[in-house]
Amino acid sequence: MNIQFQACGLILDVILIYFFLRHETVGLFSERIFRMSLVVNTICVILDIASIITIVSAVYLPAIVVTIVSKLYLVSLVGVAYLGFLYTSNDVRHLREDETLNRILKIVLGVEVFFVLALPIDFHHEGNIIYTYGFSTAVAYIFMAVFVLGAVLLTFTHSKYMNASRRNAIRAWMALEVLAAVLQNIFPQFQLIGFGSAVGLFVLYCELESPESYLDRVTGTFSYETLVLYLKQLFAEDRKFAGIVVCTEDSWKMDSEQENRILVEISEYLHSFSGAKLFRTFGNDFILIYDGKEAEKGLIESAINLDLIKARFQEPFDKGSMNVPAKFLYLPDPHIATDCDEYLEICRINKDEMTRDEMGRLLDEAAGSRIREQRRVRSEIVKALEEDRVEVHFQPIYSIEEQRFVSAEALARIIGSDGKLIMPGLFIPVAEEYGLIDQIGERVFEITCRTFREQNLREKGIKYVEVNLSVAQCENARLSDIYNKIMEREQVEPTSINLEITESSTLHYKNILLENMNALGRLGCSFSLDDFGTGESNLNYIVDMPVQIVKFDRTMVQDYFVNDRAKTVMRATVAMIKEIGLKIVAEGVETKEQLDAMEALGVDYIQGYYFSKPLQEKDFLKFIAARNMAA
């Protein structure tokens, strides 16, 4: 009996099944289909061996037994090819979820089974050359070819949904099946089809489906990439699940060896909760996902486990030598998010927002609504930048010495898709969160420079315009070059520009800011220190930064009139700043009494609603023309 190749294929399948099952699996679609393919291919090889045995022993067995075994082998052969097509289409979600397509595939498979079982089959046995032929066999090979060809075509027609590794591994699998079938037909003494399919599955295992490929190398938990795949699947299936995010702080990090020891200890502890799947997420954070097949049970388990985990993190790790500060996010209901990306975004943003005093947060529908609103605003910002819907409004700044308006602050405004203004308090935090603030800042600077030149603002008494710089822009090493090119392109003198910087604890690269300021200062730009009185180290900024103007924040100005201590501090601050030789702008001045008080205090410039709110360009030009002419 010529079964050597089938025996090798069977051994290879058994080895693959052993290694595949000895590891925990996530339960992804591809894992399920690969597991089914392994099982079906093993059955196929066993039936192949059984069919050869029955054909060789046909003289001793009823004809019906030989026929049934051989036809079942042909059915399983097509089944392997069918699963290959399903595995390939798994990467294309709209195909995977297309009920009509799935129904057609099942009908096609059913038709194949019917004809293979119904049509006649013949047997050839001459020496070690043993095979089947006839209508039943022909139908099986035709359907097998259809599924194999379909799988290969998918890797080309839908290649954008698959990475190169997946495309190549699937093509190799299908190619090995085709090659084995072709060689077996040319050389019928070699029974290669089952062996070729087993080798193809081995390639797939090594390239894509080894459980270790889904694991984080340090901790042995599932990786962040696997988490993304798993969450996408959970949302696609609309399954209920609960999540616990363990957020470890950066302050506990130390040398890599000890850090790895602690990470392993943390992961092994968290892995002890058998009702959950454990993933390593952002940095050294972990997330436990309680799959909702038994929704209520998972919810109860996650709530109980959360208390246990919190208690464990009160104790030191690494044999009692190291405390690991941690905070916790609890997400009992996945419906706070609409998809995987939104779910992870909710986790990331809430982690970043947690203060030192917070031990954790329970994330409910409100958390999801807030993120969706941010994403809506982000979309509005992106569209506004693309469709040129960013505007600049100008708030006049009054010089007490000259008794006229000598400058203005340029303020970003965005026109929404509905034609209404989106105010800075809404879009600026979102732009900073999603890295869009640089683009807005550059667009505002371009518009400001163009307005200054085209409207001849200097001739109207406006000596310079103040433009805000965000923290992100200050940390951009190319800022001075970018702004210099904009000023050259718009033909604006750098002396017409005053750049406002804000003291911020989030500024990590102060040296880059200084380099930008010095470079722009050499060109002729001046600088203001904005929002003075709201930061933690403004005095250092006055000493260290080459600023010419200090702007008192509205809150500081308003406190002057209601708080005696604030009044004393502000008087001393004004005296100090004047002695250094800097100018002062008081923001938020709203009444004549406040204006008189600021003038008596020694403030140089006034900005606030007493004179004007921020105005659109045309209204600002009318305002300046009327007020400066009267002055």
Side-chain angles (χ1 to χ4, degrees), residues 27 112 196 230 232 244 264 290 344 369 394 410 495 498 503 589:
E112 178 269 334
Y230 185 57
K232 285 182 177 179
I244 297 173
V264 169
Y290 294 78
L344 293 172
S369 300
F394 298 89
T495 53
N498 176 277
E503 184 280 325
V589 173

Side-chain angles (χ1 to χ4, degrees), residues 23-29 31-32 35 211 214-215 222-223 226-227 229-231 233-234 239 277 279 291:
H23 290 283
E24 180 186 6
T25 57
V26 189
L28 301 175
F29 293 121
E31 286 180 325
R32 298 178 196 171
R35 182 170 58 245
Y214 293 104
L215 302 181
F222 293 120
S223 65
T226 308
L227 171 66
L229 293 173
Y230 185 57
L231 287 176
Q233 181 169 307
L234 291 178
R239 297 228 308 259
K277 289 182 171 64
F279 303 81
D291 190 351

Side-chain angles (χ1 to χ4, degrees), residues 82-216:
Y82 169 76
L83 288 170
F85 182 85
L86 284 188
Y87 183 90
T88 307
S89 64
N90 163 74
D91 283 326
V92 187
R93 180 176 174 180
H94 67 270
L95 293 180
R96 186 180 70 230
E97 298 178 354
D98 189 330
E99 292 184 4
T100 302
L101 176 62
N102 289 324
R103 194 178 299 115
I104 291 172
L105 287 174
K106 290 175 182 177
I107 291 172
V108 169
L109 186 63
V111 169
E112 178 269 334
V113 171
F114 172 78
F115 280 113
V116 167
L117 295 178
L119 292 174
I121 187 170
D122 294 305
F123 310 99
H124 177 88
H125 179 200
E126 184 179 343
N128 66 346
I129 300 177
I130 305 166
Y131 57 86
T132 62
Y133 62 97
F135 288 112
S136 179
T137 303
V139 166
Y141 278 105
I142 289 170
F143 277 88
M144 178 184 174
V146 168
F147 286 126
V148 169
L149 181 61
V152 174
L153 286 176
L154 277 180
T155 65
F156 289 99
T157 59
H158 293 75
S159 60
K160 63 183 179 180
Y161 297 100
M162 311 173 195
N163 61 51
S165 295
R166 296 194 71 81
R167 293 196 302 269
N168 294 334
I170 291 169
R171 289 169 188 169
W173 179 19
M174 296 297 106
L176 283 165
E177 288 198 4
V178 172
L179 179 62
V182 170
L183 288 175
Q184 182 169 313
N185 277 278
I186 297 173
F187 307 104
Q189 67 271 29
F190 300 120
Q191 301 292 316
L192 294 169
I193 292 181
F195 178 70
S197 186
V199 173
L201 288 169
F202 179 77
V203 170
L204 205 64
Y205 177 87
C206 294
E207 287 288 319
L208 303 176
E209 293 301 334
S210 169
E212 291 187 358
S213 66
Y214 293 104
L215 302 181
D216 174 68

Side-chain angles (χ1 to χ4, degrees), residues 337-610:
T338 56
D339 55 32
C340 166
D341 293 338
E342 194 170 284
Y343 188 89
L344 293 172
E345 205 166 347
I346 290 170
C347 294
R348 180 181 59 80
I349 290 176
N350 278 275
K351 174 199 170 181
D352 293 341
E353 288 179 348
M354 276 194 289
T355 64
R356 293 178 181 178
D357 298 330
E358 285 185 273
M359 279 298 296
R361 289 186 179 183
L362 170 64
L363 302 184
D364 54 15
E365 180 57 34
S369 300
R370 183 165 63 92
I371 298 302
R372 281 189 287 278
E373 174 64 9
Q374 288 185 350
R375 296 178 85 181
R376 183 192 70 79
V377 174
R378 177 182 61 179
S379 176
E380 287 282 7
I381 294 171
V382 171
K383 289 179 182 177
L385 288 166
E386 292 173 348
E387 299 170 6
D388 197 23
R389 287 190 278 107
V390 177
E391 285 190 354
V392 175
H393 289 196
F394 298 89
Q395 186 169 30
I397 298 176
Y398 182 79
S399 169
I400 292 176
E401 179 182 356
E402 298 185 37
Q403 298 289 293
R404 57 190 288 140
F405 295 92
V406 297
S407 62
E409 181 176 357
L411 298 162
R413 298 290 187 268
I414 286 178
I415 308 299
S417 302
D418 58 359
K420 298 179 181 178
L421 274 179
I422 303 175
M423 299 305 288
L426 183 59
F427 72 77
I428 285 180
V430 176
E432 290 176 339
E433 175 68 33
Y434 293 104
L436 297 168
I437 196 68
D438 277 12
Q439 296 178 58
I440 294 174
E442 289 175 25
R443 187 70 56 86
V444 167
F445 191 67
E446 288 175 355
I447 296 170
T448 300
C449 290
R450 190 175 305 130
T451 301
F452 196 94
R453 173 178 55 82
E454 291 179 350
Q455 302 301 332
N456 296 314
L457 293 186
R458 191 177 292 278
E459 293 182 7
K460 295 177 172 63
I462 302 300
K463 298 177 181 178
Y464 60 87
V465 177
E466 298 179 354
V467 183
N468 286 282
L469 290 178
S470 68
V471 171
Q473 287 177 288
C474 292
E475 293 183 329
N476 184 350
R478 297 183 58 248
L479 174 71
S480 57
D481 291 335
I482 293 170
Y483 273 35
N484 185 28
K485 288 177 181 177
I486 292 174
M487 288 187 287
E488 288 178 350
R489 185 171 65 245
E490 299 297 336
Q491 300 178 2
V492 169
E493 289 294 325
T495 53
S496 304
I497 300 297
N498 176 277
L499 297 168
E500 294 186 8
I501 63 170
T502 303
E503 184 280 325
S504 174
S505 59
T506 61
L507 181 63
H508 300 297
Y509 301 102
K510 196 173 178 180
N511 59 316
I512 296 178
L513 170 59
L514 277 170
E515 290 172 5
N516 281 318
M517 292 179 71
N518 289 329
L520 290 166
R522 286 192 292 270
L523 294 173
C525 295
S526 59
F527 293 90
S528 296
L529 180 59
D530 196 17
D531 293 338
F532 185 87
T534 61
E536 298 175 357
S537 57
N538 284 128
L539 294 179
N540 291 333
Y541 268 59
I542 292 174
V543 172
D544 297 338
M545 301 292 184
V547 299
Q548 291 78 40
I549 299 172
V550 175
K551 301 189 73 171
F552 286 171
D553 177 74
R554 179 185 181 279
T555 304
M556 186 176 180
V557 172
Q558 296 298 323
D559 285 348
Y560 178 84
F561 298 99
V562 296
N563 188 312
D564 290 337
R565 288 188 176 185
K567 184 176 294 186
T568 302
V569 169
M570 195 163 169
R571 284 172 178 166
T573 304
V574 168
M576 176 192 67
I577 293 173
K578 302 294 282 185
E579 187 174 346
I580 294 173
L582 306 182
K583 299 291 187 179
I584 299 173
V585 177
E587 295 182 296
V589 173
E590 299 176 353
T591 66
K592 180 64 166 64
E593 292 74 20
Q594 290 176 350
L595 169 65
D596 293 339
M598 291 297 103
E599 182 177 358
L601 189 60
V603 167
D604 301 285
Y605 304 105
I606 301 295
Q607 179 179 351
Y609 277 26
Y610 174 70

